[in-house]
Amino acid sequence: MEKTINIKVKVWRQAGPKAPGAFETYELKNISTDSSFLEMLDVLNEQLIKERKEPVAFDHDCREGICGMCSLYINGHPHGPDSAVTTCQLHMRKFKDGETITIEPWRSHAFPVIKDLVVDRRAYDKIMQAGGYVSVNTGGVPDANAIPISKVAADEAMDAASCIGCGACAAACKNGSAMLFVAAKVSQLALLPQGKIEAARRAKAMLGKMDELGFGNCTNTGACAAECPKSVSLSHIARLNREFICAKLAD
């Protein structure tokens, strides 16, 4: 038999970037514990539409934990109380009957609110444009074993590449730092031969753009890695620092 719960959701509502915002509380009854958090929000919006009220704006796309769009601050945690999951992978079984759930957008200077729970995360795109790519002429497609890469390096590069750019690290950081995101994107290329040619320019350019966009400094509290839905390791920040120092020494 399907288990259901009755809950209250305390949702941040904000009409636009310059409009004042405030929390509004809604009651939801008979929410299936097997439903996802976003499905619960769908039910809420259906209820609001029936009541001729403005539905809650929130981001979503794949709903499979891949795209990073479903970024919400839930009960004081990016992506909610479960660990190593995105908001779309969070299920209502993690909440208790009668509980009040507080839902907020990312709180970061570099991620301004667009409407309700939707924030502008183009800052991450701008950091990637600054240097998160390989632009050397690689010619034709090489054989799979033409460039030997150790399994240790490949595994670590894949760990870094698992970052989906959701912004949870910056939202969790008391300084609003994007260091874990930048570190993951730098690290995944720094570990591979293809990324060595532009290594010095990449580290300086991406960190420079991060500072320019208003992200804070890293003080190694570890909140970013603790809240990361893909469990990206804090060790990548150490590699980013090494890459940056080597680049500055080369200058």
Side-chain angles (χ1 to χ4, degrees):
M1 184 176 177
E2 184 181 49
K3 184 180 178 181
T4 61
I5 56 174
N6 299 325
I7 57 171
K8 290 181 181 179
V9 287
K10 187 178 177 183
V11 184
W12 182 259
R13 304 302 308 266
Q14 186 171 336
K18 296 182 180 179
F23 284 105
E24 292 187 13
T25 302
Y26 308 99
E27 289 190 24
L28 291 170
K29 297 185 181 297
N30 300 319
I31 297 297
S32 170
T33 55
D34 290 331
S35 63
S36 73
F37 197 86
L38 295 191
E39 288 171 336
M40 178 273 292
L41 289 179
D42 290 336
V43 172
L44 169 62
N45 278 345
E46 288 173 6
Q47 179 176 305
L48 291 174
I49 291 169
K50 286 179 181 178
E51 296 171 356
R52 298 185 180 278
K53 296 178 180 177
E54 182 76 14
V56 177
F58 64 95
D59 267 334
H60 62 93
D61 192 1
C62 73
R63 298 202 177 199
E64 294 180 349
I66 298 171
C67 70
M69 291 291 289
C70 61
S71 306
L72 298 176
Y73 212 78
I74 304 164
N75 285 352
H77 293 276
H79 296 295
D82 207 353
S83 59
V85 299
T86 53
T87 299
C88 62
Q89 295 173 306
L90 177 66
H91 285 81
M92 296 309 296
R93 67 178 70 97
K94 287 290 178 179
F95 302 95
K96 298 176 182 177
D97 187 45
E99 185 173 351
T100 298
I101 304 170
T102 302
I103 312 169
E104 303 171 73
W106 282 169
R107 302 294 191 183
S108 174
H109 172 74
F111 297 143
V113 174
I114 297 174
K115 184 178 180 181
D116 294 341
L117 304 174
V118 180
V119 299
D120 184 349
R121 285 179 304 198
R122 285 180 295 177
Y124 272 9
D125 295 331
K126 292 175 182 177
I127 291 173
M128 289 298 291
Q129 290 166 3
Y133 54 85
V134 174
S135 64
V136 294
N137 183 7
T138 57
V141 179
D143 293 333
N145 61 351
I147 305 175
I149 301 170
S150 71
K151 186 177 186 306
V152 173
D155 287 347
E156 201 167 354
M158 287 301 293
D159 172 65
S162 67
C163 168
I164 56 176
C166 65
C169 49
C173 179
K174 66 179 183 178
N175 305 319
S177 174
M179 278 290 280
L180 189 65
F181 167 75
V182 178
K185 298 308 177 185
V186 167
S187 197
Q188 72 184 62
L189 295 174
L191 285 158
L192 303 177
Q194 296 92 333
K196 300 295 184 185
I197 296 173
E198 297 172 301
R201 191 196 64 78
R202 180 183 302 114
K204 290 186 295 182
M206 293 181 76
L207 280 174
K209 182 60 70 171
M210 182 189 81
D211 292 339
E212 177 189 321
L213 293 168
F215 289 99
N217 295 318
C218 175
T219 49
N220 292 313
T221 62
C224 53
E227 299 287 5
C228 176
K230 296 302 177 181
S231 302
V232 174
S233 173
L234 202 64
S235 64
H236 294 300
I237 293 180
R239 177 172 291 104
L240 170 60
N241 288 332
R242 290 196 297 272
E243 290 284 312
F244 181 74
I245 291 170
C246 289
K248 296 300 285 185
L249 288 174
D251 287 346

